[in-house]
Amino acid sequence: METIEGVGSMGISNDFSEGIDGNISFSSSSWKFSEHLQTPPATTPGYTRLTIPQGNSTPHVVIGLLTPQILENLSPWQPHFILRNKNLEFTPKNPEKRTEIFHEILLDWKEKGLFHLDKTWRGENFEIKPGSHYTSDSTPPLFTLDRSATPLFGLRQFGVHVNGFVRKPSGLSLWLQKRSGNREMWPGFFDNLVGGGLSTKNTIITTATKESSEEASIPSDYLMENLKPAGAVSFFYESNYGLFPNTEFVFDLELSEDFEPSNNDGEVEGFVLVTVEEAMEIVKSSKFKTTSCPVILDFLVRHGFINSFNEPQLPQLLPLLHMPLDMFYTSNHGNY
């Protein structure tokens, strides 16, 4: 197993306070996490909803949220966009035309070096669907654009995460990965064992299988026999790269003590097996990928490590892990 500096025996500190029955109190770690996430801003004056016209029964569907900076940079592309109150209507009537226009916009921004697109461009098509319809279901797409642009328009994003854990006589341990330093977003940060976005034509389970093989060399037959669905987390996060209204489908995977993950796609620098206490130290630090925090915190809540006995702010924490994002992507939100 590769040792990563700063973890476990390499000198991670342990300043947790003891809670009821000797449990660890996680108040400082979970509340630090809450500072990274926000309530979705559709009800605040600083954001504009991106809408697409639909049929008579549903005149508009809300597909995204726009910051003032993005709204300003869309102004040269009128009359494809019409601003009505706090709603920006994207006027083309068919998916092909919408895709064409968005492609022109993004290439223009990429050539100008706007919004980091010159660095984050993936060349990976991503189908945008209304509301809670994630990309792998049968709902026809509204349009397609490069995956790197989804945060710019506050578009719903969906992904898959796998929590890999080991039961030892001393207690439960978690496998974490350290992201490659060459990655544009969160380079060198710690992350969950396996995680990836749902892309066009891939289902939840095929994504879990694909990412588990590529990122951690987990055999597909073992995965299918032992992978346990554990629901989903939904959260909202804003950074310099845009808005992240994300839903992550979560799985738990118990691994044997002799299993050691290895990377196949060059996106992971190494792996480390840590105790629950060490994992929470990493989450508390500035070295853990922010948009993966909800997944590991959800795991710790479900397995009883964070609970109402040792976490007085549990009522504030839980809504941050399960935000009702759908209500901000419905056609009856706002006036048209």
Side-chain angles (χ1 to χ4, degrees):
M1 172 176 52
E2 182 174 351
T3 301
I4 298 176
E5 185 177 359
V7 177
S9 61
M10 299 300 291
I12 196 165
S13 63
N14 188 352
D15 58 358
F16 293 95
S17 59
E18 293 297 321
I20 295 176
D21 297 329
N23 290 326
I24 300 294
S25 175
F26 294 108
S27 293
S28 59
S29 58
S30 62
W31 202 242
K32 179 179 183 295
F33 160 78
S34 74
E35 295 171 359
H36 292 289
L37 305 183
Q38 307 93 23
T39 300
T43 57
T44 66
Y47 293 82
T48 301
R49 289 180 289 271
L50 179 63
T51 71
I52 287 180
Q54 295 290 283
N56 294 330
S57 60
T58 307
H60 296 80
V61 59
V62 180
I63 61 167
L65 302 171
L66 306 175
T67 65
Q69 188 179 15
I70 294 294
L71 186 63
E72 179 183 356
N73 278 272
L74 287 174
S75 60
W77 299 91
Q78 296 179 359
H80 302 305
F81 297 93
I82 299 176
L83 186 62
R84 305 178 191 274
N85 298 321
K86 292 298 295 180
N87 304 287
L88 186 69
E89 180 183 326
F90 186 34
T91 59
K93 303 297 184 182
N94 62 74
E96 293 77 16
K97 188 63 176 178
R98 295 175 193 136
T99 297
E100 177 186 337
I101 293 170
F102 262 119
H103 187 66
E104 292 175 4
I105 293 171
L106 294 176
L107 284 182
D108 178 67
W109 290 357
K110 180 172 177 282
E111 291 173 2
K112 294 175 179 177
L114 296 176
F115 310 117
H116 308 282
L117 282 173
D118 55 327
K119 297 179 180 179
T120 61
W121 191 268
R122 295 191 182 187
E124 177 186 346
N125 289 332
F126 189 74
E127 292 182 344
I128 303 304
K129 299 188 178 186
S132 60
H133 296 282
Y134 53 88
T135 185
S136 61
D137 74 9
S138 59
T139 306
L142 298 170
F143 59 92
T144 302
L145 81 171
D146 190 82
R147 187 182 187 88
S148 61
T150 54
L152 300 181
F153 304 104
L155 302 168
R156 292 288 303 271
Q157 299 174 61
F158 298 85
V160 174
H161 277 249
V162 177
N163 299 298
F165 67 95
V166 177
R167 297 187 192 275
K168 293 185 173 183
S170 57
L172 187 143
S173 295
L174 288 163
W175 277 108
L176 302 179
Q177 64 162 269
K178 187 175 184 183
R179 295 163 63 87
S180 169
N182 296 325
R183 302 188 71 169
E184 172 60 26
M185 299 181 69
W186 290 287
F189 279 60
F190 289 101
D191 203 345
N192 298 313
L193 175 61
V194 171
L198 273 174
S199 57
T200 301
K201 308 304 181 187
N202 282 332
T203 65
I204 295 171
I205 195 62
T206 58
T207 299
T209 303
K210 173 178 175 291
E211 296 295 336
S212 295
S213 174
E214 292 178 353
E215 292 194 350
S217 300
I218 300 173
S220 59
D221 55 348
Y222 182 88
L223 186 79
M224 297 308 297
E225 290 177 5
N226 296 278
L227 196 65
K228 306 297 183 186
V233 296
S234 294
F235 58 92
F236 187 91
Y237 172 67
E238 180 178 1
S239 77
N240 292 334
Y241 291 93
L243 307 176
F244 296 81
N246 287 20
T247 296
E248 307 290 342
F249 297 99
V250 178
F251 295 88
D252 291 347
L253 179 66
E254 184 169 356
L255 297 161
S256 62
E257 288 193 54
D258 59 357
F259 174 79
E260 293 189 11
S262 60
N263 181 246
N264 289 318
D265 61 8
E267 295 188 351
V268 177
E269 179 181 316
F271 298 89
V272 62
L273 183 64
V274 297
T275 65
V276 168
E277 292 86 353
E278 291 167 341
M280 289 306 302
E281 270 303 313
I282 297 172
V283 172
K284 282 201 305 181
S285 75
S286 60
K287 298 180 181 180
F288 196 86
K289 180 172 174 276
T290 303
T291 54
S292 295
C293 283
V295 176
I296 190 169
L297 290 175
D298 173 71
F299 176 90
L300 294 168
V301 170
R302 289 186 290 103
H303 289 265
F305 293 102
I306 300 179
N307 56 62
S308 57
F309 293 127
N310 62 22
E311 178 50 80
Q313 293 163 331
L314 190 65
Q316 291 93 337
L317 172 63
L318 292 180
L320 295 175
L321 307 181
H322 303 283
M323 284 188 172
L325 296 176
D326 282 1
M327 66 182 295
F328 298 97
Y329 293 84
T330 55
S331 58
N332 59 358
H333 217 332
N335 299 316
Y336 293 90

